[in-house]
Amino acid sequence: MLPTLRRKLEALAERRDELERLLADPGVAADQDRFRAFSREFAQLEPLAAALADERRARDDLAAAQAMQDDPELRELAAEEIESAKARLEDLDTALMALLVPRDARDDGDLYLEVRAGTGGDEAAIFAGDLLRMYTRYAERQGWRVEIESASPGEHGGFREVIARVEGRGAYAHLKFESGTHRVQRVPETESQGRIHTSAATVAIIPVEEDGPPVEINPADLKVDTYRSSGAGGQHVNKTESAIRITHVPSGIVVESQTERSQHANRDKAMKRLKAMLAEAEAEKQAAATAATRKLQVGSGDRSQRIRTYNYPQGRITDHRVEGLTLYDLPNVMEGALDALVERLSREHQADELARLTQEA
């Protein structure tokens, strides 16, 4: 490990010890906001402290084994212990490097999932519905909650546009690489000649901004429309204009909510999503220079980038951002078995970040 990276590790370990002292301070404990922030930071640094402690033990074991070499009767055992200790130190070095990768503060949080039909007409809308089902099934496997906030159904099934809120620990960390254009190659149900068509749908993953400075919105910048909901809610939705559409005029962002019975509740939901989208747009601006050098556009919501192809005749799914990332398990993936994709994309991102850290060191 480079000396500069080692110094960064030591600085983080010192910060962890400082946080332990701060959390024991009655003055900090009395301030719930500070206590919560420090507790969160302490929890994030704890794995690093544990890995450093394991490294110290491995170094002690190596030193003890090397000392045993002087004893002829223990030389063979010492050689085995030395080999084992060196292997452990190599593994711990890799683990410590990974812990140096800056953690996205939003990883544990919830997200908004937006799926829109792209090119391909009715088939694109059907595919958008298939993608929503895939993510919903994946969320169920993780024990997360999915709530549809607005939906515009396609004429022959699926959705022209659907927006859902996904709530659960680690939701954003797992799905933040899904933003982009998803392409499908298959024979549509409406195709009488059996020809394979190519259609597309776009996905955007937007983190729910729970922490950080609140997004300030000037009411004069908003255009608010009401209309009759077409969503759940029984007969009530046909009698009142409870659905809300809010347009943020300066940015052109439009949000809708129609799932609640009251106009007030729908407005509250729409405003929360608008704030999240404005916060994400600002984060995109700040990270644009950095993101341009990354293979994975983390949380960028860049829907112009074709990221994945779902080929039904071959049962193949290919992610175009990672060389060699092709799975022949399409039926299971569409049923929510996304773990292989999610884990590989996370590892690739970590490798990119480690390379960047090494270059900057």
Side-chain angles (χ1 to χ4, degrees):
M1 185 183 297
L2 293 172
T4 50
L5 296 181
R6 174 62 61 178
R7 285 195 292 272
K8 287 182 181 180
L9 278 174
E10 292 169 353
L12 289 170
E14 290 173 4
R15 174 60 177 167
R16 181 260 180 206
D17 293 341
E18 180 187 12
L19 287 166
E20 187 172 36
R21 292 191 295 271
L22 287 168
L23 289 170
D25 186 334
V28 172
D31 185 335
Q32 287 300 303
D33 289 339
R34 287 183 72 203
F35 186 81
R36 191 160 42 244
F38 288 158
S39 296
R40 189 182 298 116
E41 187 181 356
F42 180 83
Q44 291 173 0
L45 292 176
E46 191 66 3
L48 183 144
L52 283 172
D54 288 342
E55 184 190 46
R56 284 193 295 272
R57 284 191 290 271
R59 291 191 185 281
D60 290 342
D61 291 343
L62 177 61
Q66 288 171 334
M68 288 165 55
Q69 285 182 307
D70 296 334
D71 188 331
E73 295 183 1
L74 298 176
R75 192 167 295 155
E76 187 175 341
L77 175 62
E80 293 177 1
E81 292 291 333
I82 289 171
E83 185 178 349
S84 175
K86 285 182 176 180
R88 281 172 56 204
L89 283 169
E90 285 184 13
D91 290 343
L92 285 165
D93 190 73
T94 301
L96 285 166
M97 286 281 288
L99 289 167
L100 274 175
V101 173
R103 188 175 183 277
D104 192 331
R106 305 170 297 181
D107 275 354
D108 286 337
D110 306 332
L111 60 93
Y112 292 108
L113 166 67
E114 301 184 355
V115 186
R116 293 179 175 84
T119 56
D122 292 335
E123 170 64 5
I126 293 170
F127 180 52
D130 292 341
L131 288 176
L132 175 68
R133 182 174 181 273
M134 177 183 77
Y135 291 125
T136 300
R137 289 293 177 88
Y138 180 65
E140 290 171 355
R141 291 172 180 230
Q142 304 298 321
W144 302 336
R145 178 173 176 266
V146 178
E147 180 183 4
I148 303 297
E149 295 216 342
S150 69
S152 178
E155 292 184 10
H156 297 280
F159 298 94
R160 292 195 300 273
E161 175 184 284
V162 60
I163 299 169
R165 177 165 171 150
V166 181
E167 298 178 347
R169 185 171 180 81
Y172 183 71
H174 285 74
L175 293 178
K176 62 184 177 183
F177 301 111
E178 294 300 303
S179 292
T181 296
H182 296 241
R183 185 178 68 168
V184 62
Q185 296 170 326
R186 64 186 177 187
V187 179
E189 295 178 6
T190 55
E191 171 57 57
S192 59
Q193 303 298 318
R195 291 174 298 186
I196 295 174
H197 285 223
T198 298
S199 305
T202 60
V203 173
I205 303 295
I206 300 169
V208 175
E209 296 293 331
E210 300 289 359
D211 298 322
V215 176
E216 299 295 336
I217 298 177
N218 185 346
D221 291 338
L222 302 179
K223 180 176 180 290
V224 181
D225 299 306
T226 60
Y227 59 99
R228 290 187 179 182
S229 173
S230 58
Q235 294 179 346
H236 172 84
V237 298
N238 298 319
K239 295 179 181 179
T240 63
E241 292 192 342
S242 60
I244 287 285
R245 180 185 298 110
I246 300 177
T247 303
H248 184 250
V249 177
S251 66
I253 293 175
V254 179
V255 293
E256 297 180 350
S257 182
Q258 57 179 314
T259 55
E260 301 297 324
R261 287 178 175 267
S262 76
Q263 190 179 109
H264 176 78
N266 278 322
R267 182 187 176 95
D268 182 58
K269 276 191 171 182
M271 285 298 295
K272 285 180 179 177
R273 194 161 80 251
L274 175 61
K275 289 180 179 180
M277 293 177 74
L278 289 172
E280 177 69 357
E282 182 60 30
E284 276 186 56
K285 288 181 184 178
Q286 295 177 3
T290 304
T293 66
R294 296 179 183 173
K295 286 189 289 184
L296 299 177
Q297 299 296 308
V298 180
S300 69
D302 182 2
R303 291 168 297 209
S304 65
Q305 180 191 20
R306 188 191 71 183
I307 65 167
R308 195 174 293 155
T309 295
Y310 304 73
N311 185 296
Y312 275 72
Q314 298 177 15
R316 168 176 59 82
I317 180 167
T318 299
D319 196 291
H320 304 290
R321 295 165 294 178
V322 179
E323 184 177 354
L325 182 45
T326 295
L327 305 176
Y328 288 89
D329 193 27
L330 183 55
N332 285 326
V333 169
M334 298 309 294
E335 287 297 319
L338 288 171
D339 288 331
L341 287 167
V342 168
E343 290 169 7
R344 178 67 183 279
L345 291 168
S346 295
R347 288 200 303 270
E348 286 290 325
H349 169 63
Q350 187 176 79
D352 289 346
E353 290 296 293
L354 281 173
R356 183 178 62 80
L357 271 176
T358 304
Q359 290 169 359
E360 292 176 353

